[in-house]
């Protein structure tokens, strides 16, 4: 469901130039399209899309049964752990308004954490040591955040709070509960009021309780259902998105996600000092989880080095039925969203997905 690969288990060709054509005369291949084609033709991804704000590139199909063409930049898809960037932004809005402090004990807002020396800052940065809850949940039935958190708290901490970094969806489960208490309106409503409406992200929404399908135009999603892995890759478009909550529940479009990154890093959502804190108080995470060398994690956002110099800031997310990458680059290189219609979080598929992001951002300069 999210960035960490283990959480997946609990939820439901190179361009060839003809030999007769001199290399100097060959038309340069589109490097972004090449990566999408590799995802589909080489890695078996049913469909892939890259949207850089101007151009939509696709490969594969939106539906394996009908062969329907891949959707465009207005097609809906599950953000998975990209949701964390929205949640972190909402937390920083509360910090900017003086309603919470980064070094508050999380237990002030979440009674279940009252005996844990965990702060809001540590939840944002994944340095709390809280165990992963997503691998413990029975996703076939509804559950409350309190019930989900209780499952994690039965386990031993992965490390002492503040002593290490370890990606855990439990951190953002707890932050959703912090927002509930501090805002008084619930994290879904607070995100809508402070992020979705101001940026006019009209195609981004929180699924309703019990809602399994995606609204509006969308591609089908395919993956291995852990309840029946012997069936291989099957249609997993319908998922209990409401249950994914503050750590992975949002549904959006490439257009809206790009607009979010532009709004956040363009200073439309937070004071400058709050945005600087999100991106300067970081931990080196290169080579851990899915992050390449040189990556750093801040507050719900990560910086990834670009092959052409500089970095891009974004997040990423994974479910059995999709993977997403992208964000906004430094140096005026713009913003991009890339997603696939199946899990692409390791090996060659991950390399090609991240390669499409890199190629798109390195190819343009505003």
């Amino acid at each position: 469901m999210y960035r960490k690969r283990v959480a997946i288990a609990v939820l439901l060709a190179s361009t060839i130039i003809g030999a007769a054509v001199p290399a100097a005369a060959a038309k340069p291949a589109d490097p972004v399209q090449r990566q999408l084609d590799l995802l589909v033709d080489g890695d078996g991804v049913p469909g892939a899309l890259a949207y850089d704000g101007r151009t939509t590139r696709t490969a594969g199909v939106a539906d394996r049964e009908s062969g329907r063409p891949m959707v465009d930049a207005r097609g809906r898809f599950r953000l998975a752990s990209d949701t964390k960037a929205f949640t972190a932004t909402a937390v920083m809005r509360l910090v900017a308004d003086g309603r919470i402090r980064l070094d508050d004990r999380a237990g002030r807002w979440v009674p279940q954490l009252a005996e844990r020396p965990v702060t809001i800052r540590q939840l944002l940065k994944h340095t709390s040591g809280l165990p992963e809850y997503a691998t413990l949940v029975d996703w076939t039935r509804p559950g409350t955040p309190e019930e989900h958190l209780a499952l994690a708290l039965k386990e031993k901490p992965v490390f002492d709070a503040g002593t290490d970094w370890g990606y855990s969806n439990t951190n953002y489960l707890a932050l959703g509960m912090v927002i509930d208490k501090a805002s008084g309106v619930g994290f879904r409503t607070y995100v809508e009021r402070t992020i979705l409406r101001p940026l006019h992200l009209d195609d981004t929404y929180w699924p309703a309780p019990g809602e399994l399908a995606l609204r509006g135009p969308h591609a089908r999603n395919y993956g291995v259902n852990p309840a029946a892995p012997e069936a291989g890759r099957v249609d997993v478009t319908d998922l209990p998105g409401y249950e994914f909550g503050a750590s992975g529940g949002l549904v959006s479009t490439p257009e809206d996600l790009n607009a979010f990154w532009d709004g956040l890093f363009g200073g439309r959502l937070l004071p400058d000092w709050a945005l600087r804190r999100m991106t300067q108080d970081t931990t080196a995470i290169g080579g851990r989880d899915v992050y390449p060398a040189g990556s750093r994690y801040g507050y719900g956002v990560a910086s990834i080095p670009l092959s052409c110099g500089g970095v891009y800031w974004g997040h990423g997310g994974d479910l059995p039925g999709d993977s997403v990458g992208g964000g906004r680059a430094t140096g005026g290189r713009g913003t991009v969203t890339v997603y696939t219609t199946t899990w692409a979080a390791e090996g060659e598929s991950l390399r090609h997905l991240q390669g499409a992001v890199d190629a798109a951002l390195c190819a343009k300069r505003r």
Side-chain angles (χ1 to χ4, degrees):
M1 136 175 139
Y2 313 90
R3 189 76 305 198
K4 192 171 185 179
R5 296 178 203 144
V6 69
I8 304 301
V10 301
L11 301 174
L12 296 174
S14 300
T15 301
I16 300 175
I17 304 298
V21 181
K27 182 179 180 180
D30 179 335
V32 182
Q33 188 65 53
R34 178 174 182 271
Q35 297 299 316
L36 298 183
D37 291 341
L38 286 170
L39 280 163
V40 172
D41 299 333
D43 305 328
V45 169
L49 178 147
Y51 175 66
D52 65 8
R54 297 173 184 169
T55 303
T56 302
R57 300 171 175 88
T58 65
V61 296
D63 185 335
R64 292 195 308 175
E65 296 300 319
S66 68
R68 174 168 56 94
M70 189 60 182
V71 295
D72 62 19
R74 294 167 294 179
R76 300 267 180 61
F77 69 104
R78 300 185 191 277
L79 289 190
S81 270
D82 266 28
T83 302
K84 290 180 174 65
F86 290 74
T87 299
T89 301
V91 169
M92 291 306 292
R93 180 72 263 170
L94 289 167
V95 171
D97 291 344
R99 299 166 79 172
I100 62 176
R101 296 180 300 177
L102 287 169
D103 291 319
D104 280 345
R105 290 284 187 95
R108 176 182 175 186
W109 307 100
V110 183
Q112 287 169 278
L113 295 175
E115 303 302 317
R116 304 271 178 147
V118 172
T119 67
I120 303 298
R121 187 193 306 270
Q122 290 164 351
L123 294 176
L124 287 165
K125 296 181 67 178
H126 292 294
T127 59
S128 71
L130 291 177
E132 177 61 64
Y133 86 94
T135 57
L136 307 172
V137 173
D138 178 0
W139 295 101
T140 65
R141 66 175 184 84
T144 67
E146 289 78 12
E147 290 171 340
H148 291 167
L149 181 58
L151 292 173
L153 296 182
K154 289 179 181 178
E155 306 294 315
K156 292 182 179 180
V158 180
F159 50 81
D160 291 337
T163 65
D164 200 353
W165 183 90
Y167 194 97
S168 173
N169 291 292
T170 309
N171 292 307
Y172 280 75
L173 170 72
L175 285 171
M177 299 167 75
V178 171
I179 297 171
D180 288 346
K181 188 81 170 188
S183 71
V185 296
F187 72 83
R188 292 178 178 84
T189 298
Y190 190 73
V191 166
E192 289 169 357
R193 289 181 180 177
T194 60
I195 300 174
L196 305 189
R197 293 178 191 172
L199 294 181
H200 303 290
L201 306 184
D202 299 330
D203 291 323
T204 302
Y205 68 93
W206 296 103
E211 183 177 17
L212 301 180
L214 292 170
R215 304 174 196 170
H218 61 274
R220 306 299 297 178
N221 299 111
Y222 302 92
V224 176
N225 185 336
E230 67 281 359
R233 184 187 286 175
V234 296
D235 191 312
V236 291
T237 308
D238 292 352
L239 290 173
Y242 180 84
E243 301 295 318
F244 302 163
S247 58
L250 276 173
V251 175
S252 190
T253 68
E255 283 188 348
D256 272 13
L257 185 54
N258 281 9
F260 167 72
W261 296 128
D262 287 339
L264 174 60
F265 296 115
R268 295 179 57 193
L269 296 176
L270 295 170
D272 289 345
W273 66 264
L275 182 59
R276 286 196 301 271
R277 191 70 59 86
M278 289 181 76
T279 57
Q280 292 182 7
D281 184 7
T282 61
T283 302
I285 57 168
R288 304 180 70 170
D289 199 64
V290 299
Y291 294 99
S295 301
R296 302 190 68 88
Y297 200 97
Y299 298 177
V301 291
S303 64
I304 313 294
L306 288 167
S307 63
C308 51
V311 304
Y312 70 91
W313 283 94
H315 201 278
D318 305 294
L319 280 162
D322 78 305
S323 286
V324 55
R328 179 176 166 115
T330 57
R333 291 190 175 275
T335 308
V336 71
T337 290
V338 177
Y339 80 90
T340 61
T341 60
T342 194
W343 186 66
E346 65 179 357
E348 288 297 284
S349 60
L350 175 62
R351 186 170 71 84
H352 295 145
L353 189 153
Q354 293 179 337
V357 173
D358 185 86
L361 295 174
C362 284
K364 62 182 290 190
R365 181 182 294 275
R366 288 181 176 174

